[in-house]
């Protein structure tokens, strides 16, 4: 058997990788519709969420943290978005 053909060489994706991708996609879709992006056509808004300890409803915490960060930054948003879990 060729060294590249072994099934044991394939890296298994961790469960956390899939959850991070799902949360990132959810945050992107949510806040793209909430922001007035047409006011800043050439701007790029980067949102970074760092989870230090995920022992609770971290999706709700991420939504609340991003909403407060956008408000603090002074970016125009359609409405305040809050979540609880």
């Amino acid at each position: 058997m060729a060294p590249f053909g072994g099934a044991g060489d394939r890296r298994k994706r961790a469960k956390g990788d899939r959850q991070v991708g799902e949360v990132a996609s959810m945050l992107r879709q949510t806040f793209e519709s909430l922001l007035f992006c047409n006011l800043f056509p050439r701007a790029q808004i980067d949102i970074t969420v760092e989870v230090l300890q995920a022992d609770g409803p971290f999706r709700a915490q991420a939504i609340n943290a991003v909403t407060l960060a956008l408000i603090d930054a002074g970016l125009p948003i359609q409405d305040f978005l809050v979540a609880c879990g």
Side-chain angles (χ1 to χ4, degrees), residues 31-83:
F31 287 101
E32 276 182 350
S33 64
L34 192 67
L35 285 166
F36 288 112
C37 295
N38 55 353
L39 297 176
F40 308 104
R42 295 184 184 180
Q44 176 178 342
I45 300 170
D46 292 329
I47 297 173
T48 304
V49 177
E50 185 173 343
V51 179
L52 300 177
Q53 187 173 358
D55 60 349
F58 69 95
R59 291 179 191 217
Q61 295 168 356
I63 289 173
N64 292 334
V66 171
T67 301
L68 291 174
L70 292 174
I71 292 168
D72 187 50
L75 292 172
I77 55 176
Q78 294 177 9
D79 202 2
F80 298 139
L81 181 65
V82 294

